[in-house]
Structure formats: structure tokens, C-alpha cells
Amino acid sequence: MSKYQTPCRYDFVGSFLRPEEVKKANADYQEGKISEAEKNQIIDKAVTEVVAKQKELGFHVITDGEFRRTYWHLDFMWGFEGVGHEQTGSGVQFDGELASLEDTYLTGKIKAKAHPFVEHFKFLKQFEDENTVAKYTIPAPAQMFQQMIIPVNYKNTRKYYETNKELIHDIGTAYQEVIRQFYEAGCRNLQLDDCTWGAIVGDAAKQRYKLLGTDIEDVKKELLEVNNLALEGKPEDMVITSHICRGNYHSTFFTSGPYDSVADYVFAKENVDALFLEYDDARSGGFAPLAKVSPDKKVVLGLITTKIPQLEEKEVVIRRIHEAAKYVPLDRLYLSPQCGFASCEIGNKLTEEEQWAKLKLVKEIAEEVWGE
């Protein structure tokens, strides 16, 4: 078992740009040109190479780059009983671009089963060594909850769940079982990717829920409830962190707004060990809400953007770290990019070389600030 735990002083969120051979393998498999075994062999090789690159850069955390999934969140949901999906060409509107996403909906009650992502983790686990720890990323329970009650899914969900309370219960308990599966597979570092908090910040979200006749404060309570329910009974030696994002698809974003309106919930009361926070531009607001972070949590500042290739100025990033330290002690602060480089297979608008340059910068800055 590795001596390291996440977050590491210089860290990253998890996804990496898919190599062309991975994209081709997925396309060829969909078209029936290669078998599933042949596709997996190609992806196994790509994961092996991307892990080697992470180690080469000197990072103490390794991931599989999310190479085995098309979407950062939906593929995981398909691993539960009671969840169906279909490609209809629909999507979600981001800033200036429609994100192509598969319809994902309920076909029955949500229950855990042997989750395929656990097997994916086992492949990654073999590369863990005395200098690195394997981290796996999955969408937060709140993300699955919100997916099932979006307007297009709401009526269908009510066929199986009369109330949100019942839905929250089944999602939370199903996640408990899957977390147990990861633990038994040797996973000690799990990250919950969560766009739900980022989607309800700002005035636009408040107006949207008002039009739906929903009190936004009730929404926040439900997000907190389902996430914390999933974390009940987690093993003491398992680190579970949360990455909060405002959307990241092909270098575009979904929402804007500061953390002020959600800090009393997720910063203060969500029972995770650390928060990976998006802070790469003005859309995220200031650092003052960090004062609400409970003293048992670490904070990973996402000050380096994955959306554009231009490198940040070291001095600017260092100055911002020290500004954040006015609200959270420097020894509880860490550094990473604000999000992954490829939340979906399409990836962001930069090259693999530019991706690695971003991570190299993260490491250099962290070593200069913390000396480690």
C-alpha cells in the first residue's frame, strides 16, 4: 500500500486528453471493425503509457486518465441496476457549444451491482508503488440525483420514486456499496466529481429554480444529504475528496458564479476530506468563502486552467495562493489545475504537449511555495 494519500501538494483532477489510438479504437469498436478484447488491449496500452508519463513528471498521484469512458459522469451511472441510456443526439447547452451527451434515465429502482469501474481501478492499481498512489474518479451522488430529476427525466423518475427523499435514499445506499467494492479492490483514494454545486451558484440558477417553483435552499439541502448519505460508514483509512466544477466541455463552461451561496453547505458540512476547487478565472469569484471550510478539510486550489494552452505566470499564481491563505492556513492548501483535460472523450482545445506543460508548471509552483 502506498504511503501517499490525496491530495498531494501538487495534484491534478484526473482526466487526460485521449490519444488518437484510443479514439480510433472506440470508433472502430462501435462500427464493428474490432472486438471488445482488441479495443481493451489498445486502451490498456494507452493507460500504461499515460501512467508512466505522470510518474516521469514526478507526480505522486496516478489515474487512468478516464480513458475507458466517453463521459466523466454518465458511464458510471450506467453501472447501476435501474439505469438505462440511449444516444438520441441530444445534449446540454454550454457557453457557445452544445455538449453531445447520451440520454441517461431510470428503468427501475436504483441498486448497486458489481460495478465495472472497480475492475478498471484494479488495472490502475498495479502501477501504484512506493512513490505514487492510485486515485480513481467517479461522479458525486448528487450528480446522479440531479441527472434523474432534470426536467426531461422528471416524469419518468416519478414512475419509480414518488419523492426525492426515496430517490436520495437509494442513490446514497447504492453508492455506499460501490465505495465498499472500491475499498475491497484496494482503493484508498476516491474522488467525487461534482458539478451540482457549481450549477446552483449565481443569480441565473436562483432565477431558474424560482421559475420551476423550487426553493433553491431546499435543493442545496438535498445535494448535501445525498452526498453525505453515500459517505456514511466509509472506512477510516479511505480518503474521499470532492472536485467542484462549473462545467468543462471542449474548453467551454456551463455556469458562472462565486462559491458564497453554497459555502455554508458544501464547504462547511460535506463530509469529504478535501475540496478540489475551480479558481482559474473571474467566474469563480473570490477566496472569502474559503473561511467557511471546516477545519478538518484540505483545499486544493485549481488556479491553473485546462481550457486554454497559455501558461499562467508563476508570480500571479503564487500571489493568489497567499491570498487564499488568509482564509485557510497555507499548510492546508494544495495546488492543481481547475479541472481535468478531457471531461468527455472530445477533450479540451490544447495538445498533449501543452497538457503536460500545465502539470509541469503546477509542480514547479508547488515546490517553490511549499518546498515539497
Side-chain angles (χ1 to χ4, degrees):
M1 195 69 67
S2 174
K3 66 181 179 181
Y4 288 96
Q5 288 185 325
T6 57
C8 298
R9 195 63 76 181
Y10 41 93
D11 214 310
F12 51 80
V13 169
S15 66
F16 290 103
L17 295 171
R18 311 296 197 267
E20 286 306 314
E21 58 267 27
V22 170
K23 293 182 179 180
K24 185 176 186 303
N26 285 328
D28 287 348
Y29 173 67
Q30 291 296 328
E31 295 171 13
K33 295 178 180 178
I34 61 174
S35 66
E36 186 175 13
E38 290 172 317
K39 179 196 74 170
N40 289 340
Q41 187 176 18
I42 293 169
I43 296 178
D44 284 352
K45 181 175 181 290
V47 169
T48 302
E49 291 172 351
V50 80
V51 168
K53 183 64 178 180
Q54 293 162 42
K55 290 184 176 184
E56 179 188 323
L57 287 176
F59 278 73
H60 297 300
V61 59
I62 55 173
T63 74
D64 64 0
E66 301 180 9
F67 284 0
R68 300 186 192 278
R69 45 186 128 162
T70 303
Y71 311 105
W72 65 274
H73 56 330
L74 300 179
D75 299 50
F76 180 79
M77 297 178 197
W78 305 338
F80 291 86
E81 287 186 17
V83 179
H85 60 100
E86 181 183 5
Q87 181 60 265
T88 63
S90 61
V92 175
Q93 187 62 50
F94 274 60
D95 181 54
E97 184 167 350
L98 183 71
S100 176
L101 303 174
E102 241 172 285
D103 294 353
T104 298
Y105 46 82
L106 292 183
T107 59
K109 293 279 191 178
I110 295 171
K111 295 179 182 177
K113 57 183 178 181
H115 202 289
F117 277 32
V118 176
E119 294 303 313
H120 300 168
F121 170 77
K122 289 178 182 177
F123 185 85
L124 174 67
K125 177 75 175 178
Q126 68 179 307
F127 301 111
E128 192 178 83
D129 56 33
E130 67 276 7
N131 292 315
T132 55
V133 62
K135 174 175 78 169
Y136 218 73
T137 62
I138 64 174
Q143 198 72 45
M144 188 171 183
F145 169 63
Q146 283 289 287
Q147 177 66 29
M148 300 313 168
I149 62 169
I150 57 176
V152 70
N153 279 341
Y154 188 84
K155 186 176 180 180
N156 176 67
T157 294
R158 285 294 176 252
K159 295 178 186 176
Y160 309 102
Y161 293 98
E162 291 186 9
T163 66
N164 284 356
K165 193 80 175 175
E166 295 170 296
L167 177 61
I168 286 169
H169 174 270
D170 279 9
I171 292 175
T173 53
Y175 262 79
Q176 288 175 15
E177 167 59 21
V178 172
I179 289 171
R180 183 191 64 79
Q181 291 177 24
F182 273 108
Y183 185 82
E184 291 182 352
C187 181
R188 296 296 180 270
N189 293 265
L190 195 64
Q191 178 180 296
L192 306 177
D193 291 327
D194 199 344
C195 284
T196 63
W197 295 109
I200 60 171
V201 297
D203 292 334
K206 192 172 183 179
Q207 291 301 314
R208 183 170 69 250
Y209 279 104
K210 187 176 181 180
L211 289 173
L212 292 171
T214 303
D215 187 334
I216 198 169
E217 296 305 311
D218 290 337
V219 176
K220 295 171 190 176
K221 291 172 185 175
E222 289 177 329
L223 300 182
L224 183 66
E225 181 182 357
V226 70
N227 281 346
N228 280 345
L229 176 58
L231 296 170
E232 284 184 13
K234 85 171 182 71
E236 288 187 9
D237 61 337
M238 188 178 198
V239 171
I240 299 184
T241 62
S242 178
H243 164 235
I244 299 175
C245 180
R246 292 167 182 77
N248 183 16
Y249 179 87
H250 205 209
S251 293
T252 62
F253 61 87
F254 180 62
T255 57
S256 300
Y259 292 107
D260 302 62
S261 63
V262 298
D264 284 324
Y265 294 89
V266 63
F267 286 10
K269 298 175 182 177
E270 189 160 292
N271 297 327
V272 291
D273 296 294
L275 298 167
F276 283 72
L277 300 178
E278 181 180 45
Y279 265 120
D280 63 325
D281 61 28
R283 290 184 307 105
S284 303
F287 294 126
L290 294 178
K292 299 289 183 68
V293 174
S294 57
D296 58 329
K297 291 190 188 77
K298 298 172 181 177
V299 174
V300 187
L301 298 171
L303 298 172
I304 307 296
T305 191
T306 64
K307 289 186 170 73
I308 58 174
Q310 286 76 17
L311 292 176
E312 288 78 359
E313 294 182 24
K314 277 189 183 182
E315 296 74 16
V316 173
V317 175
I318 291 172
R319 184 167 67 246
R320 295 195 71 198
I321 292 171
H322 287 291
E323 287 173 4
K326 297 174 183 176
Y327 305 97
V328 175
L330 188 63
D331 64 354
R332 280 170 50 212
L333 294 178
Y334 300 74
L335 183 65
S336 79
Q338 109 288 352
C339 194
F341 292 91
S343 298
C344 297
E345 188 177 40
I346 190 173
N348 281 349
K349 298 175 183 176
L350 67 170
T351 66
E352 289 185 49
E353 184 178 340
E354 290 163 344
Q355 165 185 267
W356 300 122
K358 289 278 183 174
L359 288 191
K360 184 179 178 183
L361 178 64
V362 168
K363 183 173 184 287
E364 289 175 357
I365 292 173
E367 289 177 332
E368 187 168 333
V369 171
W370 289 281
E372 55 181 277

